[in-house]
Amino acid sequence: MSERTARIARTTKETDIELSIDLDGTGTTDIETGIGFFDHMLTAFGRHGLFDLSVRAEGDLEVDGHHTVEDVGIVAGQAFASALGDKRGIRRFGSIALPMDEALILAAVDISGRGQLFWEADVPAVMVGAFDATLAKEFFIAFAANAGVTLHIRELAGENTHHVIEGMFKAVARAMRQAVEADPRMGDALPTTKGAL
């Protein structure tokens, strides 16, 4: 399997983002978005996925964090899609039920080429530090759509909003890690009967 890395830059009137990823890294991260809790979540995502991840994002935080969080999701999804290339030899599917103290989060992913999020979670409209908790869903919508993955996230249990959201980022990272791994039995084949993903 060849080197699976990508570097994506995206500039709009609302945000300026540079992101790089190595799918076969060691979980080394360098994150700076201007939103401390979001930095914490992206750091956890890289570490638990064993993705080397660098993110530099400048956004219109004087408005709020929405554009920054959503646009980082867009760029992260694009980077995953680019780094995966033709998707030959990957496992394609990944899932985990991940405990984060009282929270229990299910994440399941299919690198299907059909970008969509299915979300069953009750995340209240509260601030976690400078992060609007409702933006977690916006991030994952943007990520799934641009990565071309079918992503299910379910909150099976949880009370503390910090724990619930952190559990989501860790669970999705672990599921993605499984899905992008090389399957030695697959060889160089595509993991589909359709001939394309």
Side-chain angles (χ1 to χ4, degrees):
M1 194 171 281
S2 61
E3 187 174 88
R4 300 189 301 168
T5 63
R7 180 178 299 274
I8 305 286
R10 183 176 192 266
T11 301
T12 71
K13 291 181 179 180
E14 298 166 342
T15 61
D16 186 2
I17 299 167
E18 291 184 6
L19 184 149
S20 65
I21 194 164
D22 180 348
L23 299 184
D24 302 305
T26 59
T28 300
T29 60
D30 183 15
I31 313 293
E32 191 173 320
T33 68
I35 306 170
F37 181 77
F38 190 39
D39 291 356
H40 179 43
M41 294 302 96
L42 294 173
T43 298
F45 186 86
R47 183 70 188 118
H48 286 271
L50 292 182
F51 309 127
D52 290 348
L53 179 64
S54 173
V55 181
R56 286 287 176 276
E58 293 183 10
D60 54 356
L61 298 182
E62 71 281 3
V63 176
D64 66 11
H66 190 287
H67 299 141
T68 299
V69 173
E70 182 177 41
D71 287 7
V72 169
I74 290 170
V75 176
Q78 291 172 345
F80 262 89
S82 177
L84 275 168
D86 63 10
K87 305 172 190 152
R88 291 185 175 276
I90 63 169
R91 294 191 185 279
R92 178 178 168 179
F93 300 97
S95 64
I96 189 170
L98 186 136
M100 177 72 191
D101 294 341
E102 89 296 341
L104 181 61
I105 306 298
L106 170 70
V109 66
D110 173 12
I111 300 177
S112 61
R114 299 181 297 278
Q116 48 196 335
L117 173 69
F118 297 94
W119 172 276
E120 288 188 23
D122 184 20
V123 178
V126 298
M127 298 300 289
V128 182
F131 183 85
D132 177 350
T134 64
L135 295 181
K137 183 177 182 181
E138 299 304 318
F139 173 84
F140 288 117
I141 290 171
F143 175 79
N146 286 274
V149 302
T150 301
L151 177 60
H152 288 256
I153 300 175
R154 293 188 180 183
E155 177 189 348
L156 303 179
E159 296 176 4
N160 182 289
T161 304
H162 183 135
H163 294 163
V164 169
I165 295 172
E166 186 168 347
M168 289 174 175
F169 275 84
K170 289 177 177 177
V172 172
R174 291 275 176 162
M176 288 295 298
R177 175 176 159 186
Q178 290 175 27
V180 303
E181 281 180 345
D183 183 345
R185 294 181 64 195
M186 187 63 64
D188 194 38
L190 279 169
T192 180
T193 57
K194 295 185 296 188
L197 280 174

